[in-house]
Amino acid sequence: MLRSLSIRDVVLIERLDLTFQPGLCVLTGETGAGKSILLDALGLALGERAEAGLVRHGAAQATVAAAFDVDGGHPAEALLAEQGIEDGGGQLILRRIVGADGRSRAFVNDQPVSVSLLRQIGDACVEIHGQFDNQRLMHTATHRALLDAYGGLAAEGATAAGAHRAWRAAVEAFERAEADLAQARREEEFLRHAVDEMEALAPQPGEEAALAERRAVMMHAEKLIEAMNQATADLSAGAGVEAALRGAARALERVADKAEGRLDAALAALDRAAVEAAEAVVLLHRASADMDLDPRNLEKVEERLFALRTLSRKHGVDVDRLPAVLDGLKAKLGDIEDGGGRVRRLEAEATAARAAYVAAAGALREKRLAAAARLDKAMAGELGPLKFGSARFGTRIDALEEGAWGEHGSDAVAFEVATNPGTPPGPLNKISSGGEMSRFMLALKAVLAQADPVPTIVFDEVDANVGGAVADAVGERLARLAVRFQVLVVTHSPQVAARGAHHWRVSKKIDGAATVTRVEALSAGERKEEIARMLAGARVTDEARAAADSLLAGGGAA
């Protein structure tokens, strides 16, 4: 919900800080006092279009900051996470600065952002009716989701979305296989040659490394044998290293019993050294015997190694991947020889997946039709008391062309209205006056309260050109809506004002040579006086005060 609004140098407002509470918040004041300036300022913070005319005369820039309390799962949090913007710990601050030249900058939690992102986040926090042209509920793009939420169709929607994803995956698999088969048929001769060539070579995983290692050894075989022979000769010179080590050990063993254990470690080391020396000689003889000095064998190793590498370059893969390439080539030939059997199987799977999606989308459509009937009936009950007795609200559900089907089903949903008897229904923006539009949106919001997640709603002049029972009906619906949402309403109706849980008065004062707009939070006594002024006009009478008392006591109904 909107927690506070700070305004600096916007039109007639030099400095203003407002704190808001939950429930129904009303703003009243005489015409021209500056109520629209407050909404203009809030619109700036929400990402609306900035104009140089909003900057107070003589000021370098205008600044507006709106602070919101957001709970876990608020739609704005997902937008923040997507953009890497730091979480404000349950608080969201939207700030806009507009220069005297009309240029503006936007910030979210003190981090610079684009105005379009500011508007996205603002749309998730506040919905304004009657003042701006981009009212969210008027856009048909939102109607399908609102109807689904109203009808509680999350499970049916998820089923349709899953079926659509499965269908698209099956179609893509079929189309890839079909394209691969067509390509394989065009390249059949090459495929057969490539398979024959690769099968003749029969590459094995890990073979390149083994051949390269063997080639390296064979290329240096003479030097290796020379070194091994020299090492063997050195180890065997005279009686040999092993014999010398054994002789040393025997000399120590003769006196070991007199050394009190001091020679035990040396004897053990000599024994190990003698064993290792003997083993080294054996291993050198074995390695020397294993050496291949035949140049023909080296030639064969090199020929195979180079053949494998040539083949890998030809197919554009590492040598170790050649067996997998061979398997793929064989699979393509298998498809050709199978006469396209795999493609036909995938086509059948795609057809079955389409049928499953059509069934899921059809079930979703039936649920939507039922939900639309309930919504239309509920709207009829709301429109009568709001002086729309002759208006007809209807939810239109049209079947989309197959190319437009998607995860949300195969329907286009639009809310329509016919304001006069005998006229066909049309888009919501057929309602011409702003006041009528606000009252109509109030009715729609009252019905969709459980389905629409935006936590703060602003109504501007929702009671325009109505009074008496209609104004009271407007106030009653606003109060009912304020149980679930934070509702801010700019009103000239005493019946609506009396319903408010919090009341501010907007006034215009001359301060020296300047005219300024002020906003005051009203006490109980000041509130009664303001409602009496709204009832009586310029001269407040005792009768008007008594009527104000009656309105406040009756919650708006006189």
Side-chain angles (χ1 to χ4, degrees), residues 22-286:
L24 180 57
C25 306
V26 298
L27 292 93
T28 61
E30 294 182 358
T31 300
K35 298 184 294 297
S36 63
I37 298 175
L38 288 175
L39 297 187
D40 286 339
L42 178 59
L44 276 180
L46 299 176
E48 293 300 324
R49 185 168 171 267
E51 297 179 355
L54 292 172
V55 181
R56 187 175 64 86
H57 179 68
Q61 63 182 29
T63 304
V64 183
F68 296 86
D69 289 337
V70 291
D71 53 13
H74 191 284
E77 290 189 338
L79 291 170
L80 295 179
E82 287 176 9
Q83 299 297 322
I85 297 175
E86 186 175 340
D87 188 351
Q91 188 175 66
L92 179 66
I93 300 177
L94 310 184
R95 183 160 59 95
R96 187 85 170 276
I97 298 174
V98 182
D101 58 0
R103 296 180 180 179
S104 75
R105 290 174 289 157
F107 302 84
V108 174
N109 289 347
D110 284 332
Q111 298 184 57
V113 299
S114 66
V115 174
S116 62
L117 177 60
L118 184 72
R119 185 181 302 115
Q120 280 185 277
I121 295 174
D123 286 346
C125 294
V126 180
E127 185 171 317
I128 299 181
H129 296 288
Q131 180 70 11
F132 301 114
D133 295 332
N134 63 340
Q135 297 173 18
R136 191 172 54 88
L137 290 181
M138 290 175 59
H139 300 321
T140 56
T142 67
H143 295 175
R144 181 182 58 216
L146 287 170
L147 177 63
D148 288 353
Y150 175 79
L153 307 183
E156 291 82 357
T159 299
H164 184 267
R165 289 191 293 270
W167 173 36
R168 294 317 309 165
V171 168
E172 289 171 7
F174 159 66
E175 290 176 346
R176 282 196 304 271
E178 189 175 42
D180 288 346
L181 178 60
Q183 183 72 14
R185 283 173 172 162
R186 289 193 296 271
E187 299 175 350
E188 182 176 1
E189 183 177 347
F190 163 76
L191 288 173
R192 294 193 182 281
H193 169 74
V195 168
D196 291 343
E197 181 182 41
M198 206 171 291
E199 283 185 333
L201 193 59
Q204 301 298 317
E207 187 177 7
E208 181 189 22
L211 288 172
E213 179 182 342
R214 185 179 175 190
R215 173 174 177 261
V217 171
M218 294 176 74
M219 288 176 66
H220 302 95
E222 291 185 2
K223 289 184 178 180
L224 290 170
I225 288 176
E226 181 181 348
M228 286 186 287
N229 288 340
Q230 182 62 51
T232 302
D234 290 342
L235 288 171
S236 304
V241 172
E242 181 186 4
L245 291 169
R246 296 294 184 191
R250 285 193 297 272
L252 293 176
E253 285 172 353
R254 285 195 292 269
V255 297
D257 57 341
K258 299 177 178 63
E260 298 296 335
R262 290 180 175 82
L263 299 178
D264 292 350
L267 285 167
L270 288 169
D271 184 60
R272 290 195 303 273
V275 171
E276 293 292 339
E279 186 175 356
V281 173
V282 171
L283 292 174
L284 284 171
H285 283 301
R286 186 180 302 164

Side-chain angles (χ1 to χ4, degrees), residues 283-461:
L283 292 174
L284 284 171
H285 283 301
R286 186 180 302 164
S288 180
D290 287 342
M291 279 294 169
D292 189 350
L293 295 174
D294 190 340
R296 291 172 298 179
N297 291 338
L298 174 60
E299 184 178 349
K300 290 178 182 178
V301 168
E302 288 182 334
E303 285 179 356
R304 181 161 183 82
L305 179 61
F306 297 154
L308 288 170
R309 289 176 174 173
T310 299
L311 194 59
S312 73
R313 288 193 296 272
K314 182 176 181 180
H315 291 278
V317 297
D318 294 335
V319 172
D320 284 345
R321 286 191 48 79
L322 286 175
V325 172
L326 176 58
D327 291 341
L329 295 174
K330 286 181 176 179
K332 290 182 178 181
L333 283 178
D335 287 341
I336 296 174
E337 292 163 357
D338 186 34
R342 177 171 173 270
V343 172
R344 288 193 296 274
R345 288 192 296 274
L346 289 173
E347 183 179 21
E349 290 174 7
T351 301
R354 180 188 182 280
Y357 170 74
V358 169
L364 179 58
R365 177 182 176 82
E366 292 302 315
K367 293 284 188 178
R368 281 176 175 158
L369 290 169
R374 297 196 303 274
L375 176 61
D376 295 351
K377 183 178 179 180
M379 279 295 292
E382 291 288 332
L383 292 176
L386 295 176
K387 205 177 177 180
F388 282 112
S390 60
R392 291 181 294 109
F393 174 88
T395 304
R396 180 173 175 176
I397 301 178
D398 293 326
L400 293 168
E401 295 292 333
E402 183 168 337
W405 292 357
E407 291 191 10
H408 299 294
S410 56
D411 305 318
V413 177
F415 299 151
E416 295 185 331
V417 62
T419 54
N420 298 305
T423 59
L428 296 182
N429 58 13
K430 282 189 64 176
I431 302 175
S432 56
S433 87
E436 285 183 334
M437 176 62 76
S438 290
R439 293 203 312 281
F440 193 89
M441 289 301 170
L442 172 59
L444 190 54
K445 285 295 295 187
V447 172
L448 294 174
Q450 299 294 326
D452 203 2
V454 179
T456 297
I457 311 165
V458 178
F459 288 97
D460 183 20
E461 308 281 347

Side-chain angles (χ1 to χ4, degrees), residues 466-478:
V466 298
V470 175
D472 186 58
V474 170
E476 187 274 331
R477 280 153 179 79
L478 287 169

